[in-house]
Amino acid sequence: AFKQIESAMLAQVSTGDPVLALGGDHAVTYPLVRAAAQQYKDLTLLHIDAHPDIYDEFEGDRLSHACPFARIMEEGLVKRLIQVGIRTMNGHCRQQVKRFGVEVIEMHDFNEADLPVVNSPVYLSLDVDGIDPAFAPGVSHREPGGLSIRQVLKLINQVDRPLVAADIVEYNPRRDVQDLTAMLCAKFVKEISARMALTNRPEAVNGGF
């Protein structure tokens, strides 16, 4: 599946058009980014999540949904990895973050007015459990104390470098409540697509994040 995902993604990004991938657990981000990195150099990876997903291995699996960002950083596929909304850090993950030079904004330190400046094309990976489960109950791993919908929308709309690729992952319809999370995911599809259209116009690139 990983090879198929990478191949399909590469066919899309090779056109030069922005690509939005939907669904699956977070393991899919690794092959998606592998493909995007072949088209775009010096990518900044903006990762919104409750979990850092940077384990070296998880339950004996190095390709687990808990490991994609370790594989991405090992291969040097992106210039920067910025993680926002994290609230489940442990000792091993902190070691991995230090090892790879990841910029982590944990939820207890989150400040909308104090985000890193980005000066390269952006890949956005949005794990739905980054949003507080009060707003997004339809996820497998609910972690209270997360981002609000408005905060995530503001993060998306602050991207003013080319948003060349993105994924929305970890929606679990079996745990949803009256399709609240499905409706939220649809909102994110619209907002991310609109931001892609705006930031990929030649005249739109004017610096900052």
Side-chain angles (χ1 to χ4, degrees), residues 16-61:
D17 293 327
V19 181
L20 174 56
L22 304 178
D25 68 24
H26 225 146
V28 302
T29 298
Y30 171 44
L32 290 170
V33 171
R34 284 197 81 193
Q38 294 176 58
Q39 176 71 16
Y40 300 102
K41 304 302 180 186
D42 296 328
L43 272 176
T44 292
L45 178 48
L46 174 60
H47 170 208
I48 298 172
D49 203 331
H51 315 91
D53 291 349
I54 201 165
Y55 283 88
D56 183 58
E57 59 87 22
F58 187 73
E59 297 180 345
D61 185 1

Side-chain angles (χ1 to χ4, degrees), residues 150-182:
R150 180 51 53 192
Q151 287 172 323
V152 175
L153 292 176
K154 187 172 182 179
L155 280 168
I156 292 168
N157 287 299
Q158 282 180 320
V159 176
D160 64 3
R161 289 292 170 175
L163 181 54
V164 296
D167 62 58
I168 301 173
V169 297
E170 297 283 354
Y171 169 56
N172 184 344
R174 295 180 180 178
R175 304 201 71 192
D176 208 355
V177 177
Q178 296 183 330
D179 293 330
L180 287 173
T181 315

Side-chain angles (χ1 to χ4, degrees), residues 128 131 135-136 149 153 179-189:
V128 184
I131 296 88
F135 305 106
I149 296 169
L153 292 176
D179 293 330
L180 287 173
T181 315
M183 292 173 65
L184 175 59
C185 289
K187 174 72 170 176
F188 287 145
V189 167

Side-chain angles (χ1 to χ4, degrees), residues 87-102:
R87 48 196 187 275
T88 57
M89 292 287 279
N90 61 22
H92 173 69
C93 290
R94 292 188 189 282
Q95 291 175 351
Q96 291 284 88
V97 162
K98 183 177 180 180
R99 172 188 174 193
F100 295 121
V102 180

Side-chain angles (χ1 to χ4, degrees), residues 101-132:
V102 180
E103 300 164 62
V104 180
I105 302 172
E106 293 188 64
M107 197 60 224
H108 57 69
D109 294 324
F110 179 77
N111 183 345
E112 297 174 14
D114 187 24
L115 293 171
V117 173
V118 173
N119 293 304
S120 64
V122 176
Y123 184 113
L124 170 64
S125 185
L126 174 53
D127 187 323
V128 184
D129 69 30
I131 296 88
D132 192 279

